[in-house]
Amino acid sequence: MSSDNSLSHTRWNCKYHIVFIPKYRRKLIYGKLRRDIGAILRRLCEMKDVEIIEAHAMPDHIHMLVKIPPKMSVSYFMGYLKGKSSLMIHDRHANQSTIMGTAHFGQKVTMSVQ
């Protein structure tokens, strides 16, 4: 049982298989942005203490096997991961609108004072 993690009074080993599918299964996103998306997902998982056991980026979707602590619900983690990753991808690649088309990455409002 060395692969089990522990909290104050529990030992746990919760693994989940997650599949990300972009809107309309846009195949171009993962061909051109694959490495950046991988780095973003790794960073977000580290921030929430979620271990990525295995991950594969396919042409139109991503498979991830993750170990999520039981103190965090799977739906909360997925909402966090999908929301934050879409904002980060949009921030880094907003100039590539021809690749992303009208994909909904969330609206970011910027204001400038002159």
Side-chain angles (χ1 to χ4, degrees), residues 3-50:
S3 65
D4 292 349
N5 296 51
S6 63
L7 294 172
S8 59
H9 297 286
T10 59
R11 297 199 56 80
W12 60 273
N13 190 2
C14 304
K15 297 176 185 175
Y16 300 93
H17 178 239
I18 298 168
V19 179
F20 279 92
I21 301 171
K23 192 170 185 177
Y24 308 121
R25 285 195 180 254
R26 294 183 186 272
K27 295 182 184 195
L28 296 175
I29 292 175
Y30 296 111
K32 298 188 182 224
L33 308 176
R34 181 179 188 172
R35 289 187 183 182
D36 200 24
I37 290 172
I40 289 170
L41 294 177
R42 279 190 294 276
R43 182 171 170 220
L44 291 172
C45 287
E46 287 174 6
M47 291 171 67
K48 290 292 184 183
D49 295 326
V50 172

Side-chain angles (χ1 to χ4, degrees), residues 87 90-91 94 106-114:
L87 290 173
H90 180 70
D91 285 345
Q107 295 294 328
K108 182 177 179 183
V109 178
T110 58
M111 302 176 98
S112 62
V113 178
Q114 298 178 356

